[in-house]
Amino acid sequence: MENKLKLYGFNNLTKSLSFNIYDVCYARTPKAQLEYIAYVDEQYNSARITDIMTHLTEMIGAKVLSMSRQDYDPQGASATFLIADDEMVPLGNGTEYVAHLDKSHVTVHTYPEYHPDTSIATFRVDIDVATCGKITPLTALDYLIGSFDSDIITMDYRVRGFTRDLKGEKVFIDHDITSIQDYIDSATLLKYDAVDINVYQANMFHTKMLIKELDLQNYLFNAKVEDLSPERRREIETALKREMVEIFSGRNVYGNGTVTD
């Protein structure tokens, strides 16, 4: 947000970020699969994701006006924030406040799941941030990526609406952007293969990222890599990579891909 425009009235641009991550894991037995679901449900319960989103709002310069959160049975959690992009200003005796209340929000939902036949478990997090005004959720991307074990990341960013400058000319975007990757640290980008699909004329940007290196031990739930034969390691690595490629591609590329004992 380098270039500061002189505007006529309030900045009416709406900047929306849809941020999705997937964490893939190998849980060999039905017992391990259920334990994995319980583990991620505890690690990313509604209290934890509320803390993450609270810090996100601070990073982008927004103020939390109200918040609700919920844990679900059998699994998953959600949190919703109503936010303002300006300070709430006290009026009169200080008991009443004025702020832009109704056009900025943050929502997050988690989806732990496992495939009953392949021993592959996948944890998905969906985060949507919509801001209205001068702030943009893109500034928090590195924090979001680092807050989760992100094997696959898909992001959509769109600037909608218009505002006006002092001459009355419409302004459809108020910051420079050629790619969502512009807002991600270069050290983070080195860890991923990244692809852009952008529609510049409509101020729409899409980026998806796939982790490059796979350290098998990091993907085994309650198991040790040294207890597996070389052949078994290769089978599991292949199944994990296939799962990641299909999620990254958004389609079934390999079919079932069952890993059997």
Side-chain angles (χ1 to χ4, degrees), residues 155 177-182 184 189 193-200 204-209 248:
M155 295 164 286
I177 178 173
T178 57
S179 166
I180 294 174
Q181 296 183 54
D182 296 344
I184 301 174
L189 287 174
D193 289 318
V195 176
D196 284 345
I197 303 172
N198 301 322
V199 184
Y200 297 106
M204 297 172 61
F205 305 86
H206 173 76
T207 297
K208 55 184 180 180
M209 300 163 59
F248 180 75

Side-chain angles (χ1 to χ4, degrees), residues 22 40 64 109 153 156 167 206 261:
Y22 300 83
V40 295
V64 177
H109 306 283
I153 305 168
D156 293 280
K167 296 180 181 179
H206 173 76
D261 286 320

Side-chain angles (χ1 to χ4, degrees), residues 60-123:
I60 67 176
K63 306 297 177 183
V64 177
L65 304 177
S66 65
M67 180 273 296
S68 63
R69 67 190 191 196
Q70 181 66 53
D71 291 294
Y72 298 104
D73 185 12
Q75 65 238 16
S78 297
T80 301
F81 291 72
L82 187 66
I83 61 176
D85 63 348
D86 288 314
E87 296 278 358
M88 291 196 295
V89 180
L91 298 176
N93 59 11
T95 60
E96 297 179 355
Y97 292 81
V98 61
H100 192 67
L101 302 178
D102 60 349
K103 291 188 175 67
S104 300
H105 64 269
V106 178
T107 63
V108 55
H109 306 283
T110 69
Y111 302 88
E113 66 90 41
Y114 63 88
H115 193 295
D117 300 321
T118 66
S119 300
I120 300 295
T122 303
F123 174 53

Side-chain angles (χ1 to χ4, degrees), residues 1 11-17 129-137 157-160 173-175:
M1 302 289 291
N11 188 334
N12 291 310
L13 292 173
T14 299
K15 298 150 191 173
S16 302
L17 172 69
V129 185
T131 64
C132 190
K134 61 182 180 295
I135 62 177
T136 172
Y157 179 68
R158 183 178 181 187
V159 181
R160 294 177 295 175
I173 191 167
D174 63 350
H175 59 293

